[in-house]
Structures are given as C-alpha cells and as structure tokens.
Amino acid sequence: MPKITEAQVMEALSHVIEPELHKDIVTLKMIEALHISGNDVQFTIVLTTPACPLKGQIETEALAAVSRIPGVAKVNLKFDSRVPADARLISTLDIGVRNAVAVASGKGGVGKSTVATNLALSLALEGAQVGLLDADIYGPNIPLMMGVSGRPKAKGNKILPPVGHGVKLFSMGFLVDPKQPMIWRGPMLHSAIRQFLHDVDWGNLDYLIIDLPPGTGDASLSLAQSLSLSGAVIVTTPQQVAISDVVRSVGMFEQLNVPVLGVVENMSYFVAPDTGKRYDIFGHGGGQAMARDMGLPFLGEIPLESAVRAGGDAGKPIVISEPESAAAKALRAMARTVAAAISVQNLANTSPQFAPRPNLSIVY
Ligand SMILES: Nc1ncnc2c1ncn2[C@@H]1O[C@H](COP(=O)(O)OP(=O)(O)OP(=O)(O)O)[C@@H](O)[C@H]1O
Ligand SMILES: [Mg+2]
C-alpha cells in the first residue's frame, strides 16, 4: 500500500471551496496541524469565525475529499477559528477589538437593543469573544436586558467591564442611577462614548457590538468619529413609516463611510400560541423589499413573540431563555450571517490569508 503524503491531502483539500469566501480552504491557509499516521489522517480547519454558517458543508466536503485518497482509512477533522481583524478599525482604535458592529435604526422602539443583545450573545454562544457597548447614553437598556447591575470595578486606570452571560458589557446605566434623567450636552456625549471605548478594559475581542440610540443623531456621529466601524446592522419593522426612516439611516452610514451589513426585520409576524394562526400585525415583507431595492443583504425576519419581551425584561435574552423559539432561531441565524459578512469583508481588505491575531498593546 503506497504511503499517504501531506501533498496528497493538501491537493484533495484544495478542491474544497469555502462557500462564503469563494476560495479553496488551502489557498485561504485554513489547514493546520496535519498529521498522517499510517492510514489515518488528522487535521484542523481554522475558520474565520466560530459562527460560520456553512461549517457543516465544509466538514462534509473536506471529509469526502480526504476519504477519496487511496489508502485512507480514518479521517479525524477538528475545527478551530481565528477571527480576522478589521484593518481599518485597528488603524483607528488600537485597543484589541478586532471588529466593531453598530446596531441602528432610524426609529425608536423597533428592537435595536433586543437585536444587539441577542446578536452579542449568539456570537458568544458560538465561542467568540464578545463585548456589548451601550451607546444609548440617555436611555441605557443593556444592564436590564443582560441582567447585570451594580458599579463596575476599576483596575489601575481602566474600568473592568461587567460580564453578563459571557459577554463583556458597558453602559452609562452602570454609572448613574437608572431612575435619574440624563441631561447631557453634545460634547459630553462625545467624550462619554470615547471613554467607553478607551477607558474600559475590553481585552481581546473578536466582536464589539454597539447598541445605538434611535435616529441619525449625535451618538452615531461620535462613534463614527471615534473609530472606523466594521459595519452597521439596521433594524426595521415591516411598516412603511419605519422603512422610510431606515432609508435615512442607511444614507447616514454611507456618508460616514460605514458598510451596511444588512437589514433585519423585527416584529415581522405573530403566530397566536393558542391557534397557530399567523398575523402580519405591521404588514409583511417591507424590510425585505427595502433591502432588495437598496441592494443590501436581508438578514432575516424576527417574529413578535411575548418571550422576546419577557426575556429582555428578565435579563435573559431569548437566545438563551427560549433557544428553540422561532425568534431565537432567526436571531442565531442572523448572527451567523453577520459574522460571515464581516469575514468576507476583512478577507477582501487583506491578502487571501488570515491577518494574524493581533497582539495589540492597549493605547489610549
Ligand atoms: N420580536 C419581538 N417580540 C416581542 N417583543 C419585542 C420584540 N422585539 C423587541 N421587543 C420588545 O419591544 C420593546 C422595544 O424593544 P427595544 O428596546 O429592543 O427597542 P429599541 O429599538 O432598542 O428602542 P429604543 O429606540 O428606545 O432604544 C422591548 O420591550 C422589547 O422587549
Ligand atoms: Mg434601545
């Protein structure tokens, strides 16, 4: 029986295409720890995100490709991930955060904070290092929605972010009495956002999710002036009045040179738990049609479910409180699509290999 060689295995794997990145996994330098012992082959595929939506497909194709090599008896495939850094972001904000995504909408109350918490948590559930920054200085909701309260501790001249469900958090709600109205002037808001980025010890994060206040106002501008965002996720509800606000929001991000990663339609429909009958309370399909018209990716429909509201109020977002619900599944799928879009963007902006995991010193 001829000896199996590394070259044969690499040749076989060079026919496996990463479906999102449209290049083969050898060219993308995704194969590591290749060992051949007798008739057994072992290797690791290093993905660009632990939230890879098409991991199953890559696994099936890689196993099939290597199994076809004459003489191979057993294939032991492991997965690992290394999230590439956004080169534009780290050139503007050198604090160890590899990617930063803002969740925004033109309108209030459409579910930005709900999407932001569940997006952060979904990425963390996949195994990513995640932070969630509440940029809603006037009406911070993240502490309540993530079930974390109390004053953060300091370490040296840095603030340690409280952790909720494995996600590092920061919010004005940790610093002030939640019942106290907050009256801020524009410049104070700007410096608060800068401090949240620079003075909080975020550590090494794969993704920092940023929950924006409604509208196209000061906070978005301050944020965009403080760092180069990897992208924005726009939340809408299906009805026309929400949609026209979204168009403005998209326009603002385009002006700020922030890529819009896609549009998610929240409160899309309601399925009555007793009858199973579906109601399109705010109409249907507006978000998808708008995304199509604007040439933006559509990130999915999240149904109106009382468990979403209850999870938010109880500090247990739906992806962990009711993981089998339709809303949780839609939110998990949305998070994978967002992670994949960021990987595609980062790899397009660098060479066709991973940017090495940056070993950044914290500068502020
Ligand atoms: N899909 C959903 N099903 C049921 N309730 C939802 C859903 N999405 C959001 N909610 C609820 O609607 C309310 C508003 O949502 P959320 O606070 O996330 O909106 P927002 O856009 O962040 O609001 P604001 O503009 O005030 O920041 C919350 O009580 C939340 O729990
Ligand atoms: Mg909010």
Coordinates of all heavy atoms in Angstrom, one line a residue, residues 105 107-115 136 139 141 145 211-214 266-267 302-306 308-310 312-313, ligand 1:
S105 N -31.2 52.0 13.9 CA -32.4 52.1 13.2 C -32.7 53.6 13.1 O -32.2 54.4 13.9 CB -33.5 51.4 13.9 OG -34.0 52.2 15.0
K107 N -35.6 54.7 13.7 CA -36.8 54.8 14.6 C -36.6 54.2 16.0 O -35.8 53.3 16.1 CB -38.0 54.0 13.9 CG -39.2 54.7 14.0 CD -40.3 54.0 13.3 CE -41.6 54.8 13.4 NZ -41.4 56.2 13.0
G108 N -37.3 54.8 16.9 CA -37.2 54.3 18.3 C -38.1 53.0 18.5 O -39.1 52.9 17.8
G109 N -37.7 52.2 19.4 CA -38.6 51.1 19.8 C -38.8 50.0 18.8 O -39.7 49.2 19.0
V110 N -38.0 49.9 17.8 CA -38.1 48.8 16.8 C -37.4 47.5 17.2 O -37.6 46.5 16.5 CB -37.7 49.2 15.4 CG1 -38.6 50.4 14.8 CG2 -36.2 49.6 15.3
G111 N -36.6 47.6 18.2 CA -35.9 46.4 18.7 C -34.4 46.4 18.5 O -33.8 45.3 18.5
K112 N -33.8 47.6 18.5 CA -32.3 47.6 18.3 C -31.6 47.0 19.5 O -30.7 46.2 19.3 CB -31.8 49.1 18.3 CG -32.2 49.9 17.1 CD -31.7 51.3 17.3 CE -32.5 52.1 18.4 NZ -33.9 52.2 18.2
S113 N -32.1 47.3 20.7 CA -31.4 46.8 21.9 C -31.6 45.3 22.0 O -30.7 44.5 22.4 CB -31.8 47.5 23.2 OG -31.6 48.9 23.1
T114 N -32.8 44.8 21.6 CA -33.1 43.4 21.6 C -32.2 42.7 20.6 O -31.6 41.6 20.9 CB -34.6 43.2 21.2 OG1 -35.4 43.9 22.1 CG2 -35.0 41.8 21.1
V115 N -32.1 43.3 19.4 CA -31.2 42.7 18.4 C -29.7 42.7 18.8 O -29.0 41.7 18.7 CB -31.4 43.4 17.0 CG1 -30.3 43.0 16.0 CG2 -32.8 43.0 16.4
D136 N -26.4 54.1 24.0 CA -27.6 54.9 24.3 C -27.4 55.5 25.7 O -27.7 55.0 26.7 CB -28.8 54.0 24.3 CG -30.1 54.8 24.2 OD1 -30.1 56.0 24.5 OD2 -31.2 54.2 23.8
G139 N -30.8 56.8 27.4 CA -31.8 55.7 27.8 C -31.2 54.4 27.8 O -31.6 53.5 27.0
N141 N -30.4 50.7 28.2 CA -31.2 49.5 28.5 C -30.4 48.2 28.7 O -31.0 47.2 29.1 CB -32.3 49.2 27.4 CG -33.3 50.3 27.3 OD1 -33.7 50.8 26.3 ND2 -33.9 50.7 28.5
M145 N -31.4 44.5 30.2 CA -31.7 43.4 29.2 C -30.7 42.2 29.4 O -31.0 41.1 29.0 CB -31.6 43.9 27.8 CG -32.8 44.8 27.5 SD -32.7 45.4 25.8 CE -34.4 45.4 25.3
D211 N -24.8 49.1 20.7 CA -26.3 49.4 20.6 C -26.4 50.9 20.5 O -26.1 51.6 21.5 CB -26.9 48.8 21.9 CG -28.4 49.1 21.9 OD1 -29.0 49.2 20.8 OD2 -29.0 49.1 23.0
L212 N -27.0 51.4 19.4 CA -27.1 52.9 19.2 C -28.5 53.3 19.7 O -29.5 52.6 19.6 CB -26.9 53.2 17.8 CG -25.5 53.3 17.3 CD1 -25.4 53.5 15.8 CD2 -24.7 54.4 17.9
P213 N -28.6 54.6 20.1 CA -29.9 55.2 20.3 C -30.6 55.4 19.0 O -30.0 55.3 17.9 CB -29.6 56.5 21.0 CG -28.2 56.8 20.6 CD -27.5 55.5 20.3
P214 N -31.9 55.6 19.0 CA -32.7 55.8 17.8 C -32.2 57.0 17.0 O -31.7 58.0 17.6 CB -34.1 56.0 18.2 CG -34.1 56.3 19.7 CD -32.8 55.7 20.2
N266 N -37.7 43.2 12.3 CA -38.2 42.7 13.6 C -39.7 42.9 13.7 O -40.3 43.7 13.0 CB -37.5 43.5 14.7 CG -37.7 42.9 16.1 OD1 -38.0 41.7 16.3 ND2 -37.7 43.8 17.1
M267 N -40.3 42.1 14.6 CA -41.7 42.1 14.8 C -42.5 41.9 13.5 O -43.5 42.5 13.1 CB -42.2 43.5 15.4 CG -41.4 43.9 16.6 SD -42.0 45.3 17.4 CE -40.7 45.7 18.6
I302 N -37.7 38.5 12.3 CA -37.8 38.0 13.7 C -39.3 38.2 14.1 O -39.8 39.3 14.0 CB -36.9 38.8 14.6 CG1 -35.4 38.6 14.1 CG2 -37.0 38.4 16.0 CD1 -34.5 39.7 14.5
P303 N -39.9 37.1 14.4 CA -41.4 37.3 14.8 C -41.6 38.0 16.1 O -40.6 38.1 16.9 CB -41.8 35.8 14.9 CG -40.6 35.0 15.2 CD -39.5 35.8 14.5
L304 N -42.8 38.5 16.3 CA -43.2 39.1 17.5 C -43.6 38.0 18.4 O -44.5 37.2 18.1 CB -44.4 40.0 17.2 CG -44.9 41.0 18.3 CD1 -43.9 42.1 18.5 CD2 -46.2 41.6 17.8
E305 N -42.8 37.9 19.5 CA -43.1 36.8 20.5 C -43.1 37.4 21.9 O -42.1 38.1 22.2 CB -42.1 35.7 20.4 CG -42.3 34.7 19.2 CD -41.2 33.7 19.1 OE1 -40.4 33.5 20.1 OE2 -41.1 33.1 18.0
S306 N -44.0 37.0 22.7 CA -44.0 37.6 24.1 C -42.8 37.2 24.8 O -42.3 37.9 25.7 CB -45.3 37.3 24.8 OG -45.4 36.0 25.0
V308 N -39.8 37.2 23.7 CA -38.7 38.1 23.4 C -38.8 39.3 24.4 O -37.7 39.6 25.0 CB -38.8 38.6 22.0 CG1 -37.7 39.7 21.7 CG2 -38.7 37.5 21.0
R309 N -40.0 39.8 24.6 CA -40.1 40.9 25.5 C -39.8 40.4 27.0 O -39.1 41.1 27.7 CB -41.6 41.4 25.4 CG -41.8 42.8 26.0 CD -42.3 42.8 27.4 NE -43.3 41.8 27.7 CZ -43.3 41.0 28.8 NH1 -42.4 41.3 29.7 NH2 -44.2 40.1 29.0
A310 N -40.3 39.3 27.3 CA -40.1 38.8 28.7 C -38.7 38.5 29.0 O -38.1 38.9 30.0 CB -40.9 37.5 28.9
G312 N -36.1 40.0 27.6 CA -35.5 41.3 27.7 C -35.7 41.9 29.1 O -34.8 42.4 29.7
D313 N -36.9 41.8 29.6 CA -37.3 42.4 30.9 C -36.6 41.6 32.0 O -36.3 42.2 33.1 CB -38.8 42.4 31.1 CG -39.5 43.5 30.3 OD1 -38.8 44.4 29.8 OD2 -40.7 43.5 30.3
Ligands
LIG1 N1 -39.6 40.4 18.3 C1 -40.1 40.9 19.4 N2 -41.2 40.3 20.1 C2 -41.7 40.9 21.2 N3 -41.2 41.9 21.8 C3 -40.2 42.6 21.3 C4 -39.6 42.1 20.1 N4 -38.5 42.9 19.8 C5 -38.5 43.9 20.7 N5 -39.5 43.7 21.6 C6 -39.8 44.5 22.8 O1 -40.1 45.8 22.4 C7 -39.6 46.7 23.3 C8 -38.6 47.7 22.5 O2 -37.5 46.9 22.1 P1 -36.0 47.5 22.2 O3 -35.8 48.2 23.5 O4 -35.1 46.4 21.8 O5 -36.1 48.6 21.0 P2 -35.1 49.8 20.7 O6 -35.2 50.0 19.2 O7 -33.8 49.5 21.3 O8 -35.8 51.0 21.5 P3 -35.1 52.5 21.7 O9 -35.2 53.2 20.4 O10 -35.9 53.0 22.8 O11 -33.7 52.2 22.1 C9 -38.9 46.0 24.4 O12 -39.7 45.8 25.4 C10 -38.6 44.6 23.7 O13 -38.5 43.6 24.7

